[in-house]
Amino acid sequence: MRKYCEECGREVETKVLIKKEAYDVCGEPIEVDAQVLICAECGEELFCEEFDNATLIHAYNEYRKRHKLLLPEEIKKIREQYGLSQRSFAKLLNWGDKTIYRYENGSIQDKVHNSLLLFLREPENMRKYLTQNEISLDERKKRKLLSIVDKLEQDKDYQVGSIFDSYFTRIPSEENGFKIFDYDKLCAMVLFFANKSNELLKTKLMKLLNYSDMIFYKENGISISGMRYAHLPYGPVPDNFDMILGKMTADHLAHIEVIYDGSYEKHQVIPECDVPEGILSNTEIEVLNRIYEKFKSFGSIEISEYSHKEKGYIDTKTGQIISYAYAMDINLN
């Protein structure tokens, strides 16, 4: 990323640094890791609205984490699973018209409101709420909502999805590249590499994903997928990756085929569709292409050994999460 540096008097290359900054959130000091854009030549800090906004969101989310409050996207998901508009949801809860809008757009919610939202996240609790409370929705909307509750209670995919979300919905931090896990992005990344490769083995795929997320973070201050990566014997591995592959198999996106080559067992990634359009940005695709070209001739063992030389891997122990801060030490040239 190039920016104008007043100190140098010209457009310069920039770097991203991580430093501690304190914010006042609801009267409580919250210290977070802030992304700061600096001039690569003189070290002057440069204004970056995107990073400043991301840091503020990070501080708000850290406050939510401390006080066990739902994230804005989690509130939105609760509302959408019942097919309600913001206005209808607020009416159902007897809240002001703009309350849900404010919460979904980043305002810190009232703790009593948060408790009710947590309660209503489960369909069986929504049924109790609808049948045991006086609500402002008309009878037609109430019947429609009860019908949706019936479907959710019987939907096995919904139940599996809820368990899946509980593993991967996390506060943005250095562990996930300041991004909440994005299943659609991760699937698009897997399909990108699986469709481009003649024979993509699971071990190599995991390293390609790691390098893609880390390099994108190094250059843009945020990861692509929001995936966390753990130190395991064969190199960095996406946390809970087998669960992700299981869901991708169930969603008919990709699956693993076991191929036997003598006594050697290969776990090959088989794509079941093309990369979906509109999920990955042009900048993200450009990074994925660079990673593919860098490692296209590497086998699983070669790329594993290559990843073992990275500082993030060397400085961590088996099972530990490798912070995205180590992305700054990666150089693929």
Side-chain angles (χ1 to χ4, degrees):
M1 187 188 302
R2 294 181 65 84
K3 286 270 188 179
Y4 183 81
C5 174
E6 292 186 0
E7 189 70 21
C8 296
R10 64 180 184 279
E11 193 175 77
V12 296
E13 290 293 338
T14 60
K15 295 193 299 185
V16 179
L17 288 184
I18 307 297
K19 74 173 189 177
K20 297 289 185 183
E21 287 189 357
Y23 285 78
D24 184 288
V25 182
C26 300
E28 183 176 329
I30 303 292
E31 187 177 73
V32 294
D33 292 317
Q35 299 160 281
V36 180
L37 197 67
I38 66 166
C39 172
E41 296 184 23
C42 70
E44 182 76 8
E45 289 190 15
L46 306 176
F47 173 71
C48 180
E49 184 177 4
E50 183 181 353
F51 283 2
D52 287 350
N53 289 340
T55 301
L56 184 59
I57 291 170
H58 184 27
Y60 271 53
N61 286 342
E62 180 60 30
Y63 178 88
R64 291 185 176 97
K65 180 181 179 182
R66 291 187 188 182
H67 296 278
K68 296 181 172 60
L69 300 176
L70 290 162
L71 296 169
E73 47 267 44
E74 291 176 316
I75 295 174
K76 182 179 180 181
K77 187 171 183 179
I78 293 169
R79 173 179 63 80
E80 289 182 339
Q81 78 179 12
Y82 295 116
L84 294 168
S85 67
Q86 291 178 337
R87 190 168 184 274
S88 293
F89 197 32
K91 196 171 184 180
L92 170 71
L93 302 172
N94 296 312
W95 295 352
D97 284 353
K98 298 293 184 182
T99 304
I100 294 297
Y101 172 83
R102 289 190 294 105
Y103 290 166
E104 289 186 7
N105 283 275
S107 295
I108 301 289
Q109 64 267 35
D110 177 273
K111 291 181 181 178
V112 174
H113 284 181
N114 190 78
S115 296
L116 180 56
L117 289 166
L118 276 170
F119 177 76
L120 294 179
R121 182 160 60 180
E122 300 303 323
E124 60 267 32
N125 292 337
M126 177 60 85
R127 180 184 298 282
K128 291 177 186 176
Y129 181 83
L130 289 169
T131 55
Q132 297 177 12
N133 290 277
E134 184 177 344
I135 59 173
S136 300
L137 292 181
D138 60 45
E139 281 303 311
R140 182 183 64 81
K141 287 184 178 179
K142 184 177 176 180
R143 285 196 302 271
K144 182 180 178 182
L145 185 50
L146 280 169
S147 175
I148 291 172
V149 169
D150 286 338
K151 291 178 181 177
L152 289 174
E153 287 180 325
Q154 298 169 21
D155 188 350
K156 290 184 179 179
D157 287 340
Y158 166 78
Q159 295 167 11
V160 170
S162 296
I163 295 170
F164 184 83
D165 287 344
S166 71
Y167 276 91
F168 293 100
T169 301
R170 302 182 186 276
I171 301 293
S173 68
E174 267 192 356
E175 287 194 348
N176 54 26
F178 292 101
K179 181 169 184 171
I180 293 172
F181 175 67
D182 190 324
Y183 174 69
D184 292 334
K185 292 266 192 189
L186 194 282
C187 290
M189 293 168 73
V190 170
L191 289 169
F192 176 90
F193 289 121
N195 279 291
K196 229 168 165 42
S197 308
N198 291 326
E199 182 187 74
L200 179 61
L201 300 187
K202 178 181 170 183
T203 300
K204 180 174 180 178
L205 170 64
M206 292 189 286
K207 308 303 170 289
L208 294 173
L209 295 173
N210 175 253
Y211 275 116
S212 298
D213 266 329
M214 289 287 178
I215 292 299
F216 192 84
Y217 175 85
K218 179 180 181 179
E219 297 174 356
N220 299 277
I222 192 169
S223 65
I224 300 175
S225 71
M227 191 78 247
R228 303 196 317 162
Y229 292 89
H231 174 129
L232 289 182
Y234 291 103
V237 173
D239 200 26
N240 293 306
F241 193 56
D242 285 334
M243 183 179 291
I244 294 170
L245 283 175
K247 182 165 172 55
M248 289 188 72
T249 300
D251 292 340
H252 304 290
L253 299 173
H255 66 275
I256 298 294
E257 282 188 9
V258 180
I259 301 169
Y260 294 95
D261 184 3
S263 60
Y264 183 62
E265 187 178 290
K266 296 180 178 179
H267 291 243
Q268 186 173 345
V269 184
I270 307 297
E272 297 182 32
C273 61
D274 295 330
V275 182
E277 294 183 4
I279 300 296
L280 297 169
S281 69
N282 290 337
T283 309
E284 289 165 343
I285 292 171
E286 189 274 328
V287 169
L288 295 181
N289 270 316
R290 267 195 281 148
I291 298 302
Y292 172 78
E293 290 299 325
K294 169 67 180 180
F295 295 109
K296 66 180 179 181
S297 63
F298 283 56
S300 294
I301 295 175
E302 289 174 290
I303 195 171
S304 291
E305 290 176 346
Y306 190 97
S307 69
H308 285 184
K309 299 172 185 175
E310 302 294 354
K311 191 173 189 300
Y313 190 81
I314 294 169
D315 286 358
T316 51
K317 297 179 180 178
T318 301
Q320 288 184 334
I321 298 299
I322 301 172
S323 169
Y324 276 82
Y326 286 111
M328 304 308 166
D329 300 302
I330 297 175
N331 188 346
L332 298 180
N333 296 330

